[in-house]
Amino acid sequence: MVEGMSEVSTTTSSTTVAPTNMLDTEVTDVAAYNVIAVGGPAINAVAAELMGLEFPAVAATSGIAEGQALLSLMANGDNWALVVAGYDAENTLAGASLITPLLVQKL
């Protein structure tokens, strides 16, 4: 179950940038990118940083309740970040399944 869903409005610009896949260990400056971080703060250092947590943040320290997923859109310097995380891998997958159709439409 994903809580806190709300309506989102988007704007577009005339600049097109090809998506780039990176591992969390390859990112040296998170704020330099528009980011979609998938994976909880227990396994994804970028997600932990964006959530303001020390890596690795597991169980109760993650701030994600057991059986829950988190979808969080936030300012990231001059860019934006979307964190898709769950209490465990199954919950992360459930959260990701909600946004995947939207991302596919935009790409």
Side-chain angles (χ1 to χ4, degrees):
M1 173 160 88
V2 178
E3 295 181 4
M5 294 188 65
S6 62
E7 186 174 322
V8 176
S9 63
T10 60
T11 59
T12 59
S13 68
S14 61
T15 304
T16 302
V17 177
T20 301
N21 297 323
M22 299 173 79
L23 298 174
D24 61 336
T25 56
E26 298 173 316
V27 178
T28 57
D29 181 9
V30 174
Y33 302 95
N34 286 308
V35 174
I36 300 174
V38 179
I43 60 152
N44 187 323
V46 170
E49 181 178 338
L50 290 166
M51 294 171 70
L53 302 170
E54 282 199 37
F55 178 75
V58 297
T61 61
S62 73
I64 303 171
E66 189 171 349
Q68 300 294 302
L70 167 79
L71 302 175
S72 181
L73 180 64
M74 64 193 75
N76 180 33
D78 290 334
N79 294 301
W80 290 94
L82 175 63
V83 175
V84 181
Y87 184 82
D88 58 21
E90 182 180 339
N91 301 140
T92 299
L93 182 59
S97 70
L98 293 173
I99 65 160
T100 301
L102 300 172
L103 295 173
V104 170
Q105 288 176 0
K106 296 296 179 186
L107 298 176

